[in-house]
Amino acid sequence: MEPEAGIPIPRNPSSLSWVNLSKNLILAYQSFGVVYGDLSTSPLYVYTSIFKGKLLTHLNEDAIFGAFSLIFWTLTLIPLLKYVFIVLSADDNGEGGTFALYSLLCRHAKLSLLPNQQAADEELSAYKYGPSSHTIASSPLKRFLEKYKRLRTALLIVVLFGACMVIGDGVLTPAISVLSAVSGLKVAESKLNNGELLLIACVILVGLFALQHFGTHRVAFMFAPVVIIWLVSIFSIGLYNTISWNPKVIRALSPYYIIKFFRETGKDGWISLGGILLSITGTEAMFADLGHFTALSIRVAFAFVIYPCLVVQYMGQAAFLSQHLDQTPRSFFESIPDPVYWPVFVIATLAAIVGSQAVITATFSIIKQCHALGCFPRVKVVHTSKHIYGQIYIPEINWILMILTLAITIGFQDTTMIGNAYGLACMTVMFVTTFLMALVIIFVWQKSIFLAAAFLFLFWFIEGVYLSAALMKVPQGGWVPLVLSFVFTIVMYVWHYGTRKKYTFDLHNKVSLKWLLGLGPSLGIVRVPGIGLIYSELATGVPAIFSHFVTNLPAFHNVLVFVCVKSVPVPYVSSDERFLIGRVCPRPYRMYRCIVRYGYKDIHRDIGDFESQLIQSIAEFIHREAVEPQFSTSESSSFDGRMAVISTKTLQSSSSLMVSEQEDVDVGISIQSSKSPTLQSLRLVYDDENPQIRKRHVRFHLPSSPGMDPAVREELKDLIEAKEAGVAYILGHSYVKARRSSSYLKKIVIDIGYSFLRKNCRGPAVALNIPHISLIEVGMIYHV
């Protein structure tokens, strides 16, 4: 990254390290509000969830010390050892989470099921992140996974199931956090009944989801101070309770108390592990939210602040409970000294809201990533901040989450049952992360398969014990994340399967280039002024909708551009590498191809900028093709293969076209010059209803360079004239149906499932920000 102008660059290495350290400390401070809200509010409900049911018959000082020892070692082994020291190192260009691991694997082994991938994608700078994969080309495990498509499909389903469990967290975290915080009112105001507490919790939850559309950045400045005050509070209360009630609790740091706990409690103690794992819920956020921070800042925040504060708080609660065995139902609030009760209650409620907010935001991010990888129906994505990259809001998902959260809160009315569901969801995500991490150790880090196996079996053994205990609680609420994840996974896989089948149909029904070349430059029809942008998922070849259009209409635009907007398995694609431009037929045809590449966390830009960049990119390609021999080819058979990356930096310094911007005052002139009065009136109505679209008008001019090739000048002139005449967007309006010979299951998936999702999600024109007035849709039936 280049230094900003005006900022002095320190030459002293020690001052450079100081700048880096201060930057990481600031990021560590900010991470408290975004990453650790959920993890830091766990003390509200952990002991309450542990000491339930038959374990109450074993309630004594040793059992409480054993529970604390389990919490301490769980916090040490999973968040500290696994995540802080190992998993945080497996970032994808600075991004973390399940999809980051999956995209890393897809790039270092051919595991991706994304259909329209090209060799050119491997030249992206973000694609080459991490060690080179050439040295493990002969790995038997790699060949085995690449050989069988079913294994790659199974891997995708595992990743989707993990992602769906994160969505389950987005439903359960607000429910358990807010309900636990509000239950503190019962300690101070015993007159309140459960119905009134439930009403207060529901009001807070509705308010939380209703405020999502404002974006987190408006209140984000409050998040870090709230969590820091909360951490200081729980640390102080924990220290006070340890000293006041039972300093001997410090002995429980020894794992001996774990052995003693299981010896005395047996099967009941094992089932209570479902409550103990709630102490590490929210750990996955350290990795999932890595993109907004640095690995060092998250490590510093956890190791030096979060970890000691949580350990001391759990120790203090254990010390208090060892002297007050009857206070387990509301152990946290009962352990607060009376003089500070109300301030701590207020900050606990705020911290619960902050923790919930972070998980909801992470859910939006996961949904967007699923959509980018072709695994989720199109939804409206609103970018809530111009300054903070990646802050998004998805209205449909927000209201679905709210309804599900309220249903769970009202349906269960009990933090223990919600805790059973929550624990199972979190541990499943960790289990999936461990599996993907083991594959990353082999394929990406290129370490020994034995090292990966040691990592896998160590953490699968620990997590498997917790997962088995959580699964025992499926009848007592644990079924919720399983049902939610099953439904979301079915939706994702049906969408992915239908999209892939539709792409395969397009691939097998491409228009023959020989047929196009046989028609001649006019394509056997009238070529009218203007540019036709034909959208397709095909990265090569001419889509079937084009022949469908040509055979049914007698005219087409002078300049045709086949546009493919596609996702690549990297988090971000640099704007310098976004556009791939090529020629489809020989020069007289005026037919081009543009591939627009986005990463799974990229923002799709405004269509006005896209139009201008596209024209400039094609002009630059025409110019470079004439100057640089490697872009031109004499072989007619390869007219649809040569592509060039056109960077935005090149466009700014390019001499192929001159650009001038004007206010959109000449729109009226272009309307008046239109021969159709109907079109005039339609445009006027459209512009009146959509004033925000009329921002600026970009005009292009040919430079007065006498040395320019006449053929290039003529082609650029045609391009400018076509742009001035107007741009039309041509999309296929597809109806996907299963073939008559298909199996009964496939007919259900395609004709019912996929068709239902397509009818009820946002249309491709809306998702691509295409202006409705310029849109032409071509009906097509796909028999897949």
Side-chain angles (χ1 to χ4, degrees), residues 179-256:
L179 204 54
S180 299
V182 169
S183 68
L185 283 170
K186 189 98 179 205
V187 175
E189 299 290 335
S190 53
K191 294 175 187 175
L192 285 170
N193 60 39
N194 288 337
E196 289 165 337
L197 286 177
L198 191 65
L199 181 64
I200 294 166
C202 287
V203 168
I204 292 172
L205 287 170
V206 170
L208 175 65
F209 283 102
L211 290 172
Q212 290 300 312
H213 72 279
F214 289 114
T216 54
H217 67 286
R218 296 185 190 274
V219 283
F221 70 93
M222 290 171 54
F223 284 6
V226 163
V227 175
I228 287 168
I229 294 167
W230 166 249
L231 288 166
V232 169
S233 304
I234 62 173
F235 179 83
S236 308
I237 292 165
L239 198 61
Y240 169 81
N241 285 333
T242 303
I243 296 165
S244 299
W245 297 110
N246 196 349
K248 287 191 294 181
V249 74
I250 201 161
R251 294 178 190 168
L253 295 174
S254 164
Y256 165 74

Side-chain angles (χ1 to χ4, degrees), residues 616-672:
Q616 287 177 276
S617 299
I618 293 171
E620 180 60 23
F621 172 79
I622 293 165
H623 185 72
R624 281 169 66 178
E625 188 186 41
V627 175
E628 300 173 32
Q630 67 266 32
F631 288 117
S632 60
T633 176
S634 58
E635 300 162 24
S636 61
S637 61
S638 59
F639 274 117
D640 189 29
R642 187 71 66 179
M643 304 287 288
V645 177
I646 307 294
S647 90
T648 49
K649 285 180 184 173
T650 312
L651 295 180
Q652 288 164 10
S653 59
S654 169
S655 59
S656 53
L657 279 186
M658 293 173 69
V659 184
S660 63
E661 290 185 17
Q662 300 174 359
E663 288 299 317
D664 228 353
V665 290
D666 59 337
V667 173
I669 299 164
S670 66
I671 292 165
Q672 296 304 321

Side-chain angles (χ1 to χ4, degrees), residues 590-604:
R590 303 291 191 254
M591 291 168 71
Y592 310 94
R593 180 181 308 287
C594 172
I595 296 173
V596 191
R597 301 178 291 185
Y598 286 100
Y600 57 78
K601 295 200 83 173
D602 263 324
I603 297 169
H604 287 228

